[in-house]
Amino acid sequence: MRLFTLLLAAAFFGTLAVADVEDALRPDGWSKKRSSDATDFSSPSGKERLTVRYWDDVSDPKFAAETTIGAAGGRARDCVSEAGGAVFVCNTAFSAQGNDFRARAYAAAYEGGVVTAIYLGLASVARASPHPDETGERMAALVFSDAGSPSRPLAPPPPVAAPEPAAPPSVAGAIERVLFDLSYSYGIGGAIYPKYSPMYLFKGGGACNCADIAPGDVDLTALRRTRPEDVGRWRKAGGEYVVTYGDGDADELDPDVGPPAPLPGGRIVGRFSALSGGGNTALGGNTIVVASEDYDFRADGTFYQEQFGSGFNDTVSAGSSRGTVGRWRIDGGTLTLSYPGGETVRTSIYWSSNGDMVRGIPDAVWIGGKGYVLED
């Protein structure tokens, strides 16, 4: 992307209000359709589309670009920075419903948030289309203050304002052991897959499938009233542990599977992802639902949390994403997440003590009872 092109664009647009950004990025002659959280522009042929969104709850353009391209089927590491690091650009190509598509996403900090624009077109059209480059030039113009003086982004990512998490209690209640419970669930496309989740076995014989609660915060008496289906009694039978619930159902737990254990040194650095979903493509249908949640834990004690969901069938497709930031702390099997608004969440975190390590970090962890895989 040539600098003089950026400067000319900046001279034309100047500094725009957020409400004007969408029209500034709109390709000439394209129709406009506004939804609750984004604006779609469609080419006269209907074979190209540009979606513009302003994120008022995100301050990191790289994060927004990765999330946007991920929603289009790309990979988070397909992104590069341009315009002196002010704009992040991501590219991807994919096939859907018998057609080949190309997508390019841009993101730039602007007016206290982030503006993203993603171009999507049929591959045969996108190869010759000037609109992806045109969008990039206009996006870069948003972060220049005038025609002759390039400036830093108008809204550089601020430091995370969440307070440092307080240390959790030093003892984890009266837990005797933590073992993995095997169950089965429906996943993407309606396929059935095995799911392991940590189960607490307490001294005195109580048991609870409630790893969404930090191990030291479990109140079995209260849970028997509010979640009776998750509370039972355990006993050892030969080489296994058997948990029996109030309705007579029983789970057999193998102590050699896993078993769950606190993270070595309470250290976790890296991006961990969990996938889930639904639909009926596994049964020959045409509906698929995908949901993902990522935690990007940083060595400085901060994290990014991203949630994304999408679904489509032969006639309809939809998607949404949400991201937030905060600070993390681990003490034993307890993970404390503190958010800028003052909210604090305490949950469990474990890894499989028989699992693998990558650069000293577990390749999979269980947060709140859900399995997350380390992204390479």
Side-chain angles (χ1 to χ4, degrees):
M1 189 178 298
R2 294 173 296 178
L3 180 59
F4 79 87
T5 304
L6 304 183
L7 297 181
L8 287 174
F12 181 73
F13 289 111
T15 301
L16 301 173
V18 170
D20 299 324
V21 169
E22 296 167 351
D23 287 333
L25 296 175
R26 179 180 185 173
D28 295 339
W30 285 28
S31 62
K32 177 180 179 180
K33 182 178 181 181
R34 176 71 185 173
S35 65
S36 60
D37 61 354
T39 297
D40 290 320
F41 300 108
S42 298
S43 67
S45 68
K47 298 179 179 179
E48 298 175 274
R49 187 178 69 191
L50 182 72
T51 299
V52 179
R53 178 184 175 189
Y54 177 70
W55 307 52
D56 60 1
D57 57 349
V58 174
S59 59
D60 183 359
K62 182 175 183 292
F63 171 78
E66 292 175 348
T67 301
T68 301
I69 203 66
R75 297 190 308 118
R77 290 175 177 79
D78 288 339
C79 302
V80 297
S81 63
E82 294 186 0
V87 179
F88 282 87
V89 186
C90 309
N91 291 278
T92 190
F94 61 96
S95 298
Q97 302 180 27
N99 292 308
D100 295 327
F101 295 91
R102 289 193 175 187
R104 179 177 297 174
Y106 295 90
Y110 189 76
E111 292 291 321
V114 173
V115 173
T116 59
I118 181 167
Y119 167 89
L120 177 67
L122 288 172
S124 58
V125 175
R127 291 188 186 97
S129 175
H131 296 300
D133 290 334
E134 178 185 275
T135 298
E137 293 167 2
R138 296 185 179 192
M139 178 67 77
L142 296 176
V143 295
F144 283 80
S145 59
D146 57 52
S149 176
S151 67
R152 298 191 313 173
L154 299 180
V160 177
E164 193 72 33
S170 58
V171 294
I175 292 178
E176 176 85 15
R177 299 195 66 168
V178 181
L179 298 178
F180 275 126
D181 176 43
L182 171 63
S183 60
Y184 292 87
S185 180
Y186 289 101
I188 298 172
I192 298 176
Y193 70 98
K195 180 177 71 173
Y196 289 91
S197 57
M199 179 174 287
Y200 302 142
L201 305 184
F202 292 85
K203 295 179 180 179
C208 183
N209 193 344
C210 55
D212 54 304
I213 304 173
D217 298 347
V218 177
D219 184 338
L220 279 178
T221 301
L223 287 177
R224 285 191 180 97
R225 295 193 302 269
T226 60
R227 293 167 52 176
E229 71 280 3
D230 292 329
V231 180
R233 302 284 299 176
W234 69 268
R235 60 184 175 85
K236 192 172 182 180
E240 295 185 333
Y241 290 76
V242 178
V243 177
T244 304
Y245 301 93
D247 59 3
D249 286 346
D251 287 329
E252 296 180 353
L253 313 181
D254 186 343
D256 294 328
V257 174
L263 273 63
R267 180 172 178 264
I268 183 171
V269 177
R271 189 180 184 96
F272 290 81
S273 298
L275 282 175
S276 59
N280 57 14
T281 56
L283 303 175
N286 61 6
T287 300
I288 188 168
V289 178
V290 179
S292 68
E293 183 173 27
D294 293 353
Y295 286 96
D296 191 354
F297 294 99
R298 307 293 176 83
D300 64 358
T302 63
F303 70 89
Y304 285 102
Q305 182 181 1
E306 173 188 346
Q307 296 173 315
F308 166 72
S310 67
F312 67 85
N313 57 26
D314 288 344
T315 58
V316 179
S317 64
S320 65
S321 60
R322 181 169 62 91
T324 188
V325 297
R327 300 190 64 86
W328 64 269
R329 179 189 180 104
I330 293 177
D331 194 312
T334 296
L335 171 66
T336 302
L337 303 173
S338 294
Y339 297 88
E343 179 187 7
T344 297
V345 173
R346 285 165 52 83
T347 189
S348 69
I349 184 167
Y350 294 99
W351 77 297
S352 169
S353 55
N354 292 329
D356 295 325
M357 305 284 282
V358 178
R359 298 181 298 277
I361 301 297
D363 66 346
V365 297
W366 281 258
I367 299 174
K370 182 191 297 185
Y372 292 77
V373 177
L374 176 66
E375 293 188 359
D376 294 333

